[in-house]
Amino acid sequence: MPSSNDPASLRKRQPSEEKQLHPTSGVAASGAPDGSGQDASAASASGAFSFFHGFPYILLLSLAFSLYFILPLHSPQLLPHTYALCSPSGANIYTVDNRVPRAQCLVVHGSHFLDVGSLEEVQERWATRVATAYTNIPESSPIDVRYLQPGQIVLPGLSDSHAHILEYGAMKQIPLEDSKTAQVECVSHVKEYILADPELRDDKSKFVEGWGWDHTRWLKEEWPSYEFFEQDPDVSGRPIVLQSKDGHALWVSATVLRSMEPLPEEVPGGAILRDTSGKPLGVFLDNAQDLVKRPVPTHKALEKRFSATVKDALAHGLTSIHDAGISPISLEFFRRQADDGKLPIRIYGMTYYNENADYWGDTVVKIVGAGNGRLSARSVKIFADGALRSGGAALYEPYTDNPETRGLMRIEPEVLNTIIPKFMRDGWQVIVHAIGDRANGIVLDAFEEALKIANVTALRPRLEHAQILAEADMARFGDLGVIASIQPTHATSDMWFGEERLGPERVKGLYAFRSILDHGARITTGSDFPVEGINPLAGFHAAITRVSPDSKSPHGPGGWFPEQRMTREEALRGMTIDAAYASFTEDTLGSITAGKRADYVVLSQDIMTVPATSILSTNFIATVIDGRPAYGTI
């Protein structure tokens, strides 16, 4: 996870950098046409625009004005491509629009939805448009109609409301997640990675980084040690840093450990794990991870990670990803990709907050709709506590399996009560990671306090994870207008050790999805990849069944606390329109509605009606962004 914030690169920029796309026209407020990817204001803001640099631009403007008067208005040469996508066997397009919940056809005009309805309806309306608006198209010109294959359905583009984009790409480099032992399998995977890269193999000074180890899945559940690396001659003596699956622990080699000396005895909001003699193991939890210094990744390395993530995301129907805690380095990378027109997917960024840095909410300019609507960063992400898996979630009462601890707060309540209202006053959406019941209660207290100076609901605060909740706190989500951002596959991962860690009564408040919804809260869903898999249908399946992919749970095939299941409609909304609401884009994304961006996904079967056991066999046929396939074909 990020460990720093507030560099010069995030300081105030020219006002031209903050532009909002018009919800229906696709034209930026600055005047950049839909699809341009960049505009003159960006060049002006960079200070690079001069007469000679601008001369070609002036010629292009002159040409554009000439064409405007030479070519007739609405001529076919200037019209975006229009097509209809229809189901031959009924209303198999799920719009997630209450006005027309299901339809036979959608119509795309350029990068936006133009119409929704039956084939007869959209053809009639198209003929009327041709006759009244597009005067240079023959009235007999039919609309281009394409058809789904039998059984296929269409959904709005899917969103993952909590993920880590570049970290997922880093995880793909070394397959640590499925390792059953630290000392043998994890080290073996690291060795294979080193030997496969000539630069790493021949230069022992180069850092080796990976992601995904999970001590709770090892045959012997124990924390690893730096000594494991030193037992293999190809691995020993190298600087190695491996991130845990949940992102809350780092495992480092002896070389890295020596470079960090002297280590402090304690770290507020974190822990340095030690053996029985007090010697560090090379494992650092939560805030103690900030002690580990790693080299800044190159742009080439970031591009490699980004490409790996985008490839998998598009292949699984994702059109939008909320990046949950981007560092300044990541944000600058995404900004550069957006400026260069290289964002193939929509990103909603949560800027990581470092309490050791100066407050920046009144100096950093929010990013809204950069890169032709592909990048926004108007929220701040704060970590309240650690993770349940690593025993860092802050609880009201001690852990059942470790009565010596109640977990830890990574930030003091007094700081939360100060920082949250300040960010809200400056117009930022505040997003807080809170897993334990104590952490969730403290954060809800802070949001309630913020009501005194700001309209909390209008700023759409979010609690990320909201995993363990006291009964009294469940009702406060709806009362305060706080969005619960949940990850359903966490429930089916943690259900195997949840009761052992929390006890038989407290575990009932773990992943209580139905209770949160019944108290009037809005839920948005995600995966937290690379902590979990990237397939959004895995989250859909977990939310509605509360069983593992092989239909198992500690409570049997009926589901783990089945009374907490979500309906299919609620789960679909959580990854479409409610995810759009959670990122302030419900006017342009999240449903198949005329005027909205034409983001949609084609699936091989109807996940809303097939048996739950068949959902995970669904194939993604196509992922479409701005009306054009980003994956597959239509």
Side-chain angles (χ1 to χ4, degrees):
M1 301 296 178
S3 59
S4 62
N5 203 349
D6 201 30
S9 63
L10 287 180
R11 287 297 177 183
K12 190 177 289 273
R13 293 170 179 259
Q14 296 296 324
S16 60
E17 288 194 342
E18 186 176 6
K19 53 182 181 288
Q20 175 67 58
L21 292 176
H22 190 280
T24 56
S25 70
V27 177
S30 62
D34 180 29
S36 68
Q38 196 165 3
D39 56 37
S41 65
S44 176
S46 68
F49 192 94
S50 67
F51 176 79
F52 292 104
H53 287 101
F55 191 69
Y57 179 70
I58 295 171
L59 287 178
L60 286 173
L61 279 178
S62 301
L63 178 61
F65 277 111
S66 300
L67 289 174
Y68 179 85
F69 289 106
I70 292 172
L71 295 175
L73 189 62
H74 305 308
S75 71
Q77 295 96 317
L78 295 182
L79 281 174
H81 182 57
T82 303
Y83 65 87
L85 181 64
C86 299
S87 168
S89 56
N92 289 324
I93 295 173
Y94 289 85
T95 67
V96 195
D97 184 333
N98 291 334
R99 293 168 294 186
V100 186
R102 296 181 65 173
Q104 182 185 13
C105 298
L106 61 82
V107 179
V108 172
H109 180 63
S111 59
H112 290 71
F113 293 118
L114 179 68
D115 200 0
V116 176
S118 69
L119 178 58
E120 181 180 2
E121 289 169 341
V122 300
Q123 285 178 325
E124 287 180 357
R125 286 192 285 261
W126 173 248
T128 301
R129 287 185 178 93
V130 168
T132 59
Y134 306 140
T135 56
N136 288 287
I137 299 178
E139 290 191 19
S140 60
S141 296
I143 192 170
D144 174 13
V145 180
R146 306 169 188 182
Y147 289 95
L148 300 171
Q149 294 297 312
Q152 293 178 350
I153 68 165
V154 175
L155 303 176
L158 304 180
S159 291
D160 191 310
S161 293
H162 186 112
H164 304 277
I165 296 172
L166 297 177
E167 291 79 1
Y168 178 89
M171 179 272 293
K172 297 282 285 187
Q173 297 177 22
I174 308 178
L176 298 174
E177 183 176 356
D178 294 329
S179 299
K180 298 301 182 184
T181 63
Q183 197 164 354
V184 177
E185 289 190 35
C186 279
V187 174
S188 177
H189 287 311
V190 172
K191 177 178 180 175
E192 292 169 1
Y193 177 70
I194 292 170
L195 296 182
D197 186 327
E199 289 188 21
L200 284 177
R201 182 190 63 211
D202 299 335
D203 186 351
K204 279 202 163 188
S205 68
K206 286 189 173 295
F207 264 73
V208 179
E209 297 188 73
W211 185 299
W213 59 271
D214 182 358
H215 73 290
T216 68
R217 293 189 177 183
W218 293 340
L219 296 176
K220 183 179 181 181
E221 185 177 333
E222 63 179 357
W223 293 106
S225 167
Y226 70 88
E227 293 178 345
F228 297 168
F229 297 122
E230 305 311 309
Q231 295 167 7
D232 187 296
D234 292 311
V235 178
S236 66
R238 298 176 182 272
I240 301 171
V241 180
L242 304 181
Q243 184 82 59
S244 66
K245 177 182 170 70
D246 64 8
H248 288 264
L250 287 176
W251 171 22
V252 307
S253 64
T255 301
V256 174
L257 197 58
R258 283 194 298 268
S259 71
M260 299 168 61
E261 295 176 343
L263 290 172
E265 287 299 316
E266 295 182 355
V267 178
I272 302 171
L273 299 190
R274 305 174 189 270
D275 62 19
T276 54
S277 66
K279 186 171 67 173
L281 289 173
V283 177
F284 299 83
L285 304 183
D286 292 307
N287 286 356
Q289 294 176 101
D290 294 345
L291 299 173
V292 181
K293 304 304 178 186
R294 290 174 278 182
V296 176
T298 64
H299 188 77
K300 181 180 178 181
L302 293 177
E303 282 190 316
K304 182 179 179 180
R305 297 176 189 177
F306 185 53
S307 177
T309 302
V310 168
K311 179 182 177 181
D312 284 2
L314 294 175
H316 289 92
L318 292 174
T319 57
S320 300
I321 301 174
H322 300 187
D323 195 296
I326 54 179
S327 69
I329 294 171
S330 301
L331 181 56
E332 198 58 34
F333 171 78
F334 293 141
R335 188 199 297 270
R336 179 173 169 181
Q337 297 297 102
D339 290 344
D340 292 343
K342 293 181 179 179
L343 277 187
I345 198 165
R346 303 190 194 280
I347 298 174
Y348 184 73
M350 310 176 198
T351 305
Y352 175 74
Y353 171 72
N354 182 354
E355 64 177 293
N356 296 317
D358 294 335
Y359 176 75
W360 45 263
D362 56 350
T363 57
V364 174
V365 175
K366 305 170 190 70
I367 302 173
V368 180
N372 188 30
R374 299 288 175 97
L375 176 65
S376 293
R378 54 170 298 175
S379 62
V380 58
K381 167 76 176 294
I382 302 170
F383 282 87
D385 66 344
L388 181 65
R389 189 183 302 268
S390 55
L395 306 178
Y396 285 121
E397 301 296 332
Y399 280 83
T400 301
D401 61 347
N402 187 7
E404 296 181 358
T405 180
R406 295 193 301 154
L408 52 90
M409 290 292 295
R410 292 179 60 170
I411 189 169
E412 293 299 322
E414 295 76 17
V415 177
L416 284 173
N417 287 328
T418 300
I419 289 299
I420 287 177
K422 288 182 70 173
F423 274 110
M424 286 186 166
R425 184 176 59 240
D426 289 321
W428 290 85
Q429 180 187 34
V430 176
I431 297 174
V432 186
H433 161 113
I435 290 182
D437 52 9
R438 180 162 58 104
N440 278 286
I442 288 171
V443 174
L444 288 169
D445 287 343
F447 281 139
E448 190 166 3
E449 186 67 21
L451 270 173
K452 298 176 181 178
I453 66 166
N455 185 339
V456 174
T457 302
L459 293 168
R460 304 181 188 182
R462 291 168 52 164
L463 257 174
E464 300 299 305
H465 308 302
Q467 284 185 9
I468 310 166
L469 294 169
E471 181 67 32
D473 286 334
M474 292 179 186
R476 300 172 72 192
F477 280 87
D479 294 342
L480 296 174
V482 175
I483 298 167
S485 177
I486 64 168
Q487 299 74 47
T489 46
H490 281 348
T492 50
S493 291
D494 294 1
M495 64 184 177
W496 301 106
F497 62 83
E499 184 168 340
E500 177 184 355
R501 194 147 294 179
L502 299 173
E505 286 303 315
R506 187 167 44 179
V507 74
K508 295 176 182 178
L510 179 61
Y511 301 109
F513 303 152
R514 170 56 46 203
S515 296
I516 297 172
L517 284 166
D518 287 349
H519 281 103
R522 190 188 295 257
I523 279 181
T524 184
T525 62
S527 67
D528 204 4
F529 70 70
V531 179
E532 304 286 354
I534 201 169
N535 185 353
L537 296 188
F540 181 87
H541 176 266
I544 69 169
T545 66
R546 295 178 71 92
V547 297
S548 60
D550 58 358
S551 300
K552 296 178 180 178
S553 85
H555 296 163
W560 182 63
F561 293 112
E563 67 275 10
Q564 294 294 344
R565 290 180 299 200
M566 297 171 64
T567 67
R568 298 193 194 209
E569 290 74 18
E570 290 166 342
L572 178 59
R573 288 182 62 88
M575 57 186 185
T576 54
I577 192 64
D578 287 341
Y581 177 85
S583 57
F584 298 89
T585 54
E586 74 276 12
D587 290 337
T588 57
L589 302 172
S591 67
I592 299 174
T593 303
K596 289 191 176 185
R597 291 276 188 173
D599 291 3
Y600 64 90
V601 59
V602 181
L603 301 182
S604 65
Q605 62 178 348
D606 191 346
I607 64 169
M608 303 302 288
T609 60
V610 298
T613 53
S614 299
I615 289 173
L616 295 180
S617 65
T618 305
N619 294 321
F620 293 88
I621 305 302
T623 303
V624 179
I625 300 179
D626 281 340
R628 297 179 180 274
Y631 168 81
T633 58
I634 54 171

